[in-house]
Amino acid sequence: MKLFKEFRKQEVLVLLYRIFLAYFFYQIARLLFWFFNKDLIKIDSVSDYFNLSYHGIAFDTTAILYVNALFILLSIIPIIINTKKGYQKFLFWLYFITNGIAYAMNFGDMVYFKFSQTRLTTAAFQVAQHETNIFKVFTASVVQNPLVLIGFLVSMVLWVFLYKRVKIQENRPVKLIPYFIWSIVTICIVTVLAVGGIRGDFKHSTRPINLVDANRFVKLPSQGNIVLNSTFSFFRTINTNSFKEVHFVDEKFINDNIQPYKEYDRQVTNKPNIVIFIVESFSREYSGAFNKDKNIKDYVSYTPFVDSLANESLIFPNTFANGRQSIHGMSSVLAGIPSLTDAFTSSPYSNQKIQSIVSICNEMGYDTSFYHGAPNGSMGFLGFGNILGFKHYFGKTEYNNDADFDGIWAIWDEPFLQYFAKNVGKKQPFMATVFTASSHHPFKIPEKYNGKFKKGKNQMHEPIQYTDYSIKKYFETAKKQPWFNNTIFVFTGDHTNEIYYSEYEKAMNRFAVPLIFYSPNPEYNLKGVNPEFAQQIDIYPTLADLIGYHKKIRSWGRSLVSEKKYSPIIANSDGGVEQFIIGNYIYRFDGKDIVGIFDKTDLGLEKNIKDQVKNNPDVQKGMQIAKAWYQDYMDRVINRKMY
């Protein structure tokens, strides 16, 4: 029994206590995350919440072991001085610096989730690398969400207090050989447990758990975000690449059912100019023209000018975004490339020749330009714009008047849109895209307009009114320009933002953006309301059709104004699972299998009817089409066939 005297029982038990504290505080962060986002993540009962949090333990384990691997090793490595005060103080600082940084990710996500609607991944840092204003954005977020910061600080103070409650008494080993033997045994056991914990289980046949696995335990797809934690989702997406070739169907099936190339034969005598507005954070929820038939109680519109413009336009009140971030909107609208779990624009494959409305207009002799009032390079727009082939880029540098800078993001929308209206059209025909900026966090408007607009029900309602007013002023100027009457205008949002009405809390409606085609020239017949499902990637082929491009168009979208009726396939991703609307059903696909089937009217994805309809011939074909679409997407992206 003397051999057991050198077993480091005290150190092992204290280590277990310290790791247990991490589990405890991750559960606190999970609860606070749900509390701050409960309007976006519906949980019916306390038992449902506990079920989700229980399954979250596996994901917490992986995160905690990632973060504490060095701490655990240094706690049990046999170097004799482990119990000394100086060494324990070193371990204290190592523990709280690493855990503090990782833990803070979960609190940052309490705010960020409202905009991204997916847990934090490395994609957020890929976007941030293009920005120089991160500290200002962080400061504004703290000011606007003080309870999140208070929650983090209180949690960390309590964590430190509990950590210090259990101390290790200094103890020097007497017999070194048993000390080292027990230490090696302990290290081996901990290593085996850590490997299993990081993987998610000990089965050799099972791959390590990832973000998709969180959806195995939920009733609603959005609840997967409760099972996850932000530390796990961030670490699991470091150096990951979900772009992998797959084979589900043959090429004939793809050509017959996906039809990745479209062709139109519209005869156009006088090439129209094109102006594309990608309006920052423009959710369909904010605009009354798109909610007339939604039966939303006490509905209020915050875009009076856009509503009036919609009455003179062709609009699609059932349009969906194909991505979750601004750069996703750019690739979807201009190049017809949606973003799945991993964004095309941040993948290793984005730098390739891409057919787009830009390349087609260049081919047809258009003068092409991109306008964004932020510092040049912000959001990655300049880089991707160069890939697409814009002849000109106009940003904050070209605007050259910092007096109109909002202090964080960009030139205020009103003056920048005036600049846009007066600067285009020097050569015709032209295709110009403007990406607005003011309807964005931190939800400010110019001081001179304080009190002009309704505060509304959430933070987005005031700035979206300012952007709407800026668009109105733009049109007052544009109407005076010689190019105006022969111009087609397109309006859509890049993605959605803060939600107020329950209709837009539904999972699919978190991608709900407006779509407007307007022209003062009656020749283009852009009038009316079309209730068909549409998406951002339909804009590029629609415009190619309208300007009379007769060659093949590489596009998963379709022209919305052609008599040629290609079957729509709506595609996007919630950040973990791909989503397709095909025919009468919504399909959720994890890259290998269809994991959910919903009626297309079930936009909340509340009732998975996969088992009930799996033998339906239409559903079986729909499942194959979803897989075929994904196969073609991966093939074209990876093998650089985007032209």
Side-chain angles (χ1 to χ4, degrees), residues 46-312:
V46 173
S47 62
D48 281 349
Y49 175 82
F50 279 115
N51 181 60
L52 295 170
S53 61
Y54 167 75
H55 288 295
I57 292 173
F59 298 87
D60 294 350
T61 298
T62 299
I64 290 166
L65 290 173
Y66 271 140
V67 173
N68 290 281
L70 180 60
F71 172 80
I72 293 169
L73 176 63
L74 294 179
S75 295
I76 59 178
I77 192 171
I79 54 175
I80 301 174
I81 64 169
N82 302 64
T83 60
K84 286 185 175 294
K85 287 185 178 180
Y87 191 80
Q88 285 298 310
K89 190 172 184 180
F90 163 73
L91 287 180
F92 169 85
W93 285 108
L94 174 65
Y95 180 86
F96 279 106
I97 288 173
T98 53
N99 279 292
I101 293 171
Y103 195 55
M105 293 180 181
N106 295 277
F107 284 80
D109 231 5
M110 293 174 194
V111 177
Y112 183 66
F113 182 80
K114 293 182 183 297
F115 312 116
S116 67
Q117 295 171 20
T118 184
R119 280 282 193 169
L120 177 72
T121 67
T122 54
F125 289 82
Q126 291 160 354
V127 172
Q129 70 182 346
H130 299 289
E131 306 306 324
T132 58
N133 58 352
I134 298 303
F135 180 74
K136 289 182 179 178
V137 173
F138 172 77
T139 303
S141 297
V142 169
V143 171
Q144 291 182 338
N145 301 277
L147 291 179
V148 173
L149 178 62
I150 292 169
F152 173 71
L153 293 176
V154 169
S155 296
M156 290 306 300
V157 169
L158 181 59
W159 196 343
V160 170
F161 172 77
L162 293 175
Y163 181 99
K164 288 185 172 181
R165 291 286 292 175
V166 178
K167 300 181 183 294
I168 286 182
Q169 301 300 317
E170 188 170 338
N171 179 40
R172 184 178 178 85
V174 177
K175 296 184 178 181
L176 294 181
I177 291 179
Y179 170 81
F180 283 112
I181 290 174
W182 277 116
S183 296
I184 291 170
V185 170
T186 302
I187 290 172
C188 290
I189 293 172
V190 169
T191 300
V192 171
L193 292 174
V195 170
I198 289 173
R199 286 179 53 84
D201 63 32
F202 293 92
K203 297 176 183 177
H204 177 71
S205 60
T206 306
R207 58 166 172 74
I209 57 172
N210 58 30
L211 278 66
V212 173
D213 292 301
N215 290 279
R216 292 159 46 197
F217 313 110
V218 305
K219 295 179 180 178
L220 300 174
S222 61
Q223 292 174 350
N225 295 293
I226 297 297
V227 178
L228 292 168
N229 64 75
S230 305
T231 311
F232 173 90
S233 60
F234 177 77
F235 277 106
R236 268 294 194 257
T237 53
I238 293 176
N239 293 325
T240 59
N241 177 15
S242 68
F243 288 88
K244 294 181 175 64
E245 289 190 73
V246 293
H247 185 79
F248 300 113
V249 299
D250 58 28
E251 283 298 312
K252 185 178 186 305
F253 186 91
I254 289 174
N255 291 331
D256 291 346
N257 295 278
I258 307 303
Q259 298 172 299
Y261 288 93
K262 313 292 193 298
E263 198 165 358
Y264 301 99
D265 54 8
R266 184 184 301 268
Q267 298 302 312
V268 176
T269 55
N270 189 16
K271 296 176 187 174
N273 304 304
I274 296 171
V275 171
I276 301 173
F277 273 75
I278 305 177
V279 180
E280 174 64 53
S281 300
F282 192 6
S283 169
R284 205 192 316 145
E285 173 182 2
Y286 309 143
S287 185
F290 296 87
N291 288 281
K292 291 179 178 178
D293 299 321
K294 304 297 184 186
N295 298 317
I296 299 173
K297 185 179 179 182
D298 299 325
Y299 177 81
V300 177
S301 174
Y302 295 96
T303 60
F305 177 75
V306 168
D307 292 347
S308 67
L309 185 69
N311 290 333
E312 303 174 30

Side-chain angles (χ1 to χ4, degrees), residues 416-430:
F416 193 75
L417 290 182
Q418 289 298 304
Y419 169 70
F420 174 57
K422 295 172 183 176
N423 202 51
V424 299
K426 293 172 183 176
K427 293 182 181 178
Q428 295 188 53
F430 68 86

Side-chain angles (χ1 to χ4, degrees), residues 260-264 271-272 274 276 333-336 353-368 387-391 429-431 537-555 559 642-643:
Y261 288 93
K262 313 292 193 298
E263 198 165 358
Y264 301 99
K271 296 176 187 174
I274 296 171
I276 301 173
V333 171
L334 300 178
K353 190 176 183 180
I354 300 170
Q355 190 191 52
S356 65
I357 189 59
V358 185
S359 69
I360 283 175
C361 284
N362 284 338
E363 186 181 337
M364 295 181 68
Y366 278 68
D367 189 47
T368 56
I387 291 172
L388 295 182
F390 278 109
K391 295 175 182 177
F430 68 86
M431 189 284 283
I537 65 172
D538 293 331
I539 293 172
Y540 147 49
T542 301
L543 290 174
D545 177 15
L546 284 169
I547 65 176
Y549 187 77
H550 294 159
K551 299 179 184 178
K552 286 184 178 180
I553 302 165
R554 187 276 316 146
S555 173
S559 171
M642 301 299 291
Y643 203 83

Side-chain angles (χ1 to χ4, degrees), residues 557-572:
R558 65 196 177 108
S559 171
L560 297 171
V561 296
S562 174
E563 293 180 359
K564 286 188 177 180
K565 296 298 181 184
Y566 294 98
S567 298
I569 302 173
I570 310 297
N572 55 38

